[in-house]
Amino acid sequence: MIPIALDPRFARLAVAGNGPLALRRFRALRAVGAADAILFSDAPADDAVIAAGGSLRRALPEAADLAALHALWIVDLPRGRAETLANAARDARVLVNVEDVPQFCDFHSVAEVRRGDLLLTISTNGRAPGLSSLIRRDLEQKYGPEWQERVAEIGALRADWQREGVAMPEAAQRIAAIVAERAWL
């Protein structure tokens, strides 16, 4: 697997599924900025209808729908339907994640800790999601809410240094000095 951080403003994302886990994945995508994410569900629960609003499609994606996507999470569908949909998505050159079925996944969703612009991720390549969750909880304790402000402060300093023409290695040294001086790590 190749770890990347994907800006949802530049990718067309969707979730296909009928249960609470599909709605949870859809909400998670929306929470990180995927404002245009779509929820495909051929049997949506009332809470999915409310949460997805105009982004709900009351069917599973067909070829034309898939052709417009970059990535698709398939959640809460029976294995046979999930496999058929995953294969159709791949035929359309869409990256696919079938939740909890690693052999059908082109990518894996990571466990994450977010503190403003700080994003810490954990992956076991889909092999041990429970372990990823435990590590995530540990990181949540070690990197508390104060890290949001720390990242913002360093980001502002870095922007100033860039305007001043400070080279990247020098900026890295300055950041390391601040972190050491304040005993952040």
Side-chain angles (χ1 to χ4, degrees), residues 4-17 22 25-26 29-30 32 34 36-40 61-75 85-86 88-99 104-109:
I4 62 170
L6 179 67
D7 188 334
R9 295 175 303 163
F10 304 109
R12 291 181 306 276
L13 310 173
V15 176
R25 173 61 60 196
F26 175 77
L29 289 174
R30 283 294 179 88
V32 298
D36 295 329
I38 299 168
L39 176 61
F40 289 94
E62 296 184 2
D65 302 312
L66 294 170
L69 298 176
H70 291 119
L72 175 67
W73 284 259
I74 301 172
V75 188
L85 182 54
R90 277 193 198 91
D91 288 346
R93 303 187 58 80
V94 175
L95 294 172
V96 178
N97 175 285
V98 179
E99 197 150 308
F104 296 158
C105 295
D106 300 325
F107 67 94
H108 301 288
S109 296

